[in-house]
Amino acid sequence: MMLVGLTGGIGSGKSTVCKMFVELGARLLDADQISRQLLSKEGEGYGPVIEHFGSDILYEDGQINRERLADIVFANKDELQVLNSITHPLVAKKMLDGVLELSSENAVIILDIPLLAENPNRDAYGIEKIIVVDAPLELCVKRLVQYRNMSVDDAVHRIEHQASREDRVKIADYLISNAGSIDDLTHRVKEVYSDLISHLNI
């Protein structure tokens, strides 16, 4: 087993890259997906989040309106810290549980962690290599406007609340540029996966 952290800024195309790795044979643990589960009505984070942020962030069916919650926390750094203090330890535990379940597999395990560069405790995961998906600011903004229906101001605001592009690049063992064609991206992902596989005892 090889544990590989994968990160990238919002709009970088990180999810697309993760899908490509899975298609090549990697296993995936997705921090965003785990977070969504934890904030569902049945999730461990639901109660604490509602207790702090109130019922105004709920849909009529009682589920958390994640867009409304995001609007609140990205407009207030203190509120973002509160949300992170609730969700990050729970997500980390679930990720580590997932790693334990996959520990007997001789495979590349991708840990998709959007805030990996911001996480001072990233070594706790036992990550051996880090992949950073990178794209220029202007392209990330364009994607967020086009595919997530954000305004330009909102897109820029979300990006500014994450680690800088430079800080992410600094932690990269592998840099995957997603500024070109899908063929270019596919070629680079295959190249990185081939190198990762070469370090496995298969």
Side-chain angles (χ1 to χ4, degrees), residues 41-93:
K41 289 175 73 173
E42 299 77 23
E44 297 172 55
Y46 181 88
V49 167
I50 300 306
E51 182 178 349
H52 178 80
F53 292 96
S55 59
D56 287 345
I57 64 168
L58 298 178
Y59 287 115
E60 289 184 3
D61 64 359
Q63 295 287 1
I64 291 176
N65 182 333
R66 291 172 59 86
E67 290 185 5
R68 172 60 182 146
L69 180 58
D71 287 342
I72 293 171
V73 299
F74 285 112
N76 186 316
K77 288 186 177 181
D78 290 338
E79 294 287 48
L80 180 59
Q81 288 180 350
V82 170
L83 179 63
N84 288 343
S85 72
I86 295 170
T87 59
H88 283 186
L90 296 173
V91 171
K93 182 180 182 302

Side-chain angles (χ1 to χ4, degrees), residues 14-15 28-36 91 95 110-114:
K14 179 173 58 64
S15 296
L28 176 67
L29 294 171
D30 185 337
D32 270 348
Q33 183 179 12
I34 291 171
S35 178
R36 284 192 289 272
V91 171
M95 292 285 278
I110 302 286
L111 306 184
D112 178 0
I113 306 175

Side-chain angles (χ1 to χ4, degrees), residues 123-142:
D123 291 343
Y125 288 105
I127 290 170
E128 299 170 63
K129 298 290 183 181
I130 293 177
I131 298 169
V132 172
V133 182
D134 181 61
L137 172 63
E138 298 80 6
L139 184 54
C140 292
V141 171
K142 181 179 178 181

Side-chain angles (χ1 to χ4, degrees), residues 10 137-138 140-146 148-160:
I10 185 171
L137 172 63
E138 298 80 6
C140 292
V141 171
K142 181 179 178 181
R143 288 171 178 161
L144 294 173
V145 171
Q146 182 175 355
R148 300 201 192 181
N149 297 316
M150 291 186 187
S151 68
V152 171
D153 287 346
D154 190 23
V156 171
H157 190 58
R158 297 287 181 92
I159 291 170
E160 288 177 344

Side-chain angles (χ1 to χ4, degrees), residues 83-198:
L83 179 63
N84 288 343
S85 72
I86 295 170
T87 59
H88 283 186
L90 296 173
V91 171
K93 182 180 182 302
K94 291 290 186 183
M95 292 285 278
L96 290 171
D97 287 346
V99 169
L100 185 61
E101 289 177 9
L102 296 171
S103 61
S104 63
E105 298 194 18
N106 196 25
V108 173
I109 313 298
I110 302 286
L111 306 184
D112 178 0
I113 306 175
L115 302 182
L116 188 61
E118 296 91 327
N119 188 344
N121 299 316
R122 58 178 176 264
D123 291 343
Y125 288 105
I127 290 170
E128 299 170 63
K129 298 290 183 181
I130 293 177
I131 298 169
V132 172
V133 182
D134 181 61
L137 172 63
E138 298 80 6
L139 184 54
C140 292
V141 171
K142 181 179 178 181
R143 288 171 178 161
L144 294 173
V145 171
Q146 182 175 355
Y147 298 117
R148 300 201 192 181
N149 297 316
M150 291 186 187
S151 68
V152 171
D153 287 346
D154 190 23
V156 171
H157 190 58
R158 297 287 181 92
I159 291 170
E160 288 177 344
H161 274 77
Q162 295 187 330
S164 69
R165 187 179 177 190
E166 293 75 20
D167 285 344
R168 275 192 299 272
V169 169
K170 285 178 184 177
I171 69 169
D173 294 297
Y174 301 95
L175 190 65
I176 296 180
S177 172
N178 188 17
S181 69
I182 193 69
D183 287 341
D184 291 339
L185 182 63
T186 301
H187 176 77
R188 178 58 178 154
V189 170
K190 287 181 177 179
E191 187 177 61
V192 171
Y193 186 69
S194 177
D195 191 70
L196 291 171
I197 284 293
S198 72

